[in-house]
């Protein structure tokens, strides 16, 4: 998401598994800048959100991307990857 000279990432989720999940929301900007946020989606059917802090942006469309990953419980090296979703900017209209 972007507004003015700030950018941030947000993911909406609903954990209907009844089990503990972990998620990582990563915002990647130009010049190798990265913001990473770890979230623990509650094990119930209520919708929730996870959002990174807002960071200064270059203001150019498409200068930042975001990835959300949700994994199951257990040791990190053994936890199954359940979902990976990434952002994609809409093409700029030319006219």
């Amino acid at each position: 998401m972007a507004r003015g000279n700030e950018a941030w990432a947000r993911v909406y989720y609903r954990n209907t598994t009844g089990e503990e999940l972990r998620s990582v929301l990563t915002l990647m900007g130009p010049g190798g800048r990265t913001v990473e946020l770890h979230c623990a989606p509650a094990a119930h059917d209520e919708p929730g959100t996870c959002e990174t802090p807002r960071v200064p942006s270059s203001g150019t469309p498409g200068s930042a991307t975001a990835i959300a990953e949700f994994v199951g419980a257990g040791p990190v090296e053994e936890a199954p990857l359940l979902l990976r979703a990434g952002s994609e900017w809409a093409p700029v209209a030319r006219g």
Side-chain angles (χ1 to χ4, degrees):
M1 303 182 77
R3 180 175 295 147
N5 64 347
E6 294 180 318
W8 66 99
R10 180 186 299 158
V11 64
Y12 296 91
Y13 62 83
R14 179 176 274 162
N15 179 5
T16 61
T17 66
E19 298 177 14
E20 174 189 341
L21 295 179
R22 291 187 305 256
S23 71
V24 178
L25 181 58
T26 307
L27 175 66
M28 296 166 286
R33 294 188 323 238
T34 301
V35 176
E36 188 173 276
L37 182 67
H38 296 261
C39 302
H44 56 71
D45 195 20
E46 295 299 316
T49 61
C50 184
E51 185 173 300
T52 66
R54 295 176 185 215
V55 296
S57 163
S58 67
T60 17
S63 64
T65 58
I67 297 177
E69 296 177 308
F70 288 83
V71 296
V76 172
E77 22 333 296
E78 297 174 16
L81 176 63
L82 303 174
L83 173 69
R84 178 179 287 145
S87 65
E88 185 174 316
W89 288 91
V92 176
R94 298 180 192 239

